[in-house]
Amino acid sequence: MRLLHSLDLRGWLLVGTAVCGVALAGAVATFGSSARAGAALEERKLPMKFSWVACEPNCRGWISAVGIITADTPKEFEEFSRGRQLGGATVVLDSSGGSVNDAITLGRRFRNLGLLTTVGVSLRGGPSTRPAVAPEAYCESMCAFLLLAGKKRYVPEAAHVRVHQIWMGDRADDAKAASYSAQDLMIVERDIGRLAKYTFDMGGAGDLLSLALSVPPWEDLHELDPGELKLTNLVTTDLVADVLPHVDISAPAMAELAPKTQARFGAEPEQASKSTKTAEAVVPTGSVATPAAATPK
């Protein structure tokens, strides 16, 4: 797949396709139309956006986080959270992954707020239906590490969590034929170190890093099975009520989900004082995303 570049883009990318999935619903939710599935895929092409999904009076509601993690995402979350009482709330992730170091920054913010995490496609309620979350979707690449930031973490059976290696963005399309310098290797090892520290700080297991870093960009992403989700400590509960109390689970059909393809996402410098460059990724269907306006900082 092609990667859409920002100005002067040259980056580190975590290889992975993503779109996270969960089903949580009080009323029966329907998501059977191709048009609605296509709309959800379109959202996943864009930089991550946050919104509050209210489901009173029987539940508190949740934070919907949809899209690719870019250099602007931590700032977008701070703007979204301003004036809101988000402590202990649940984040429902529907993400194609994104910038490694910006995901780390966002994940640490999630943990500081004591947020809970799950994966899924948030479905807005209508006049006669309540909001719900569809499970048949994907959480890949850095989405898995953002999931890890939750104080409690739930992944439904219908969801797919998949991981892949970090790689050079400008050489990921033909990784075997590309040349690499000592500087390249230094950056790779530096970013792996940052990701490792974050993983252990969040309570993740070394098995998560081992599984992700064993899959090169020329292979399919590795999908974590239920045993591996627990082994890596990505899942801390089997009960949806632990992350979304008073919300029943349902499994509406979701049409035309992404096939097993690869997308590649940018890793950014961890320090806020350094220059940050971001990449926009294509949706995991093979079609090219329209890049959002992005200015390197």
Side-chain angles (χ1 to χ4, degrees), residues 8 22 24 57 67 84 99-100 147 205 224-225 229 235 242 249 277 279 290:
D8 299 325
V22 186
L24 323 160
R84 299 175 185 269
S99 163
V100 173
L147 172 68
L224 302 177
D225 62 31
L229 286 171
V235 167
D242 284 344
I249 190 166
K277 299 177 182 178
T290 300

Side-chain angles (χ1 to χ4, degrees), residues 57-241:
N58 296 320
C59 75
R60 175 184 179 182
W62 63 85
I63 302 165
S64 172
V66 183
I68 298 166
I69 305 159
T70 72
D72 292 326
T73 303
K75 180 180 68 175
E76 294 279 350
F77 181 73
E78 291 306 317
E79 292 176 358
F80 165 77
S81 62
R82 189 173 297 117
R84 299 175 185 269
Q85 298 296 324
L86 298 181
T90 295
V91 181
V92 177
L93 295 162
D94 179 15
S95 172
S96 297
S99 163
V100 173
N101 286 290
D102 291 303
I104 289 173
T105 298
L106 184 60
R108 292 193 184 281
R109 179 60 172 147
F110 282 6
R111 181 58 63 89
N112 287 340
L113 287 171
L115 300 184
L116 317 179
T117 53
T118 186
V119 293
V121 178
S122 294
L123 307 177
R124 304 287 172 174
S128 60
T129 60
R130 292 178 55 195
V133 185
E136 184 63 33
Y138 294 80
C139 178
E140 302 180 342
S141 186
M142 283 307 295
C143 175
F145 291 90
L146 199 55
L147 172 68
L148 187 63
K151 191 174 180 180
K152 290 183 181 179
R153 305 179 287 276
Y154 169 78
V155 175
E157 291 183 4
H160 305 271
V161 179
R162 303 165 74 194
V163 293
H164 216 291
Q165 274 184 358
I166 289 173
W167 207 262
M168 299 272 310
D170 57 356
R171 277 155 281 185
D173 286 331
D174 195 0
K176 287 184 177 181
S179 299
Y180 304 91
S181 68
Q183 178 76 5
D184 296 334
L185 296 177
M186 180 278 294
I187 296 173
V188 170
E189 294 195 15
R190 179 200 65 191
D191 289 347
I192 289 173
R194 290 172 176 169
L195 192 58
K197 184 179 188 306
Y198 168 85
T199 299
F200 297 131
D201 287 348
M202 295 298 107
D207 300 275
L208 176 58
L209 291 167
S210 179
L211 287 166
L213 297 176
S214 66
V215 185
W218 52 85
E219 294 181 5
D220 289 340
L221 283 75
H222 176 73
E223 181 166 329
L224 302 177
D225 62 31
E228 288 171 331
L229 286 171
K230 292 184 177 180
L231 178 68
T232 58
N233 213 24
L234 275 172
V235 167
T236 62
T237 179
D238 293 326
L239 301 175
V240 64

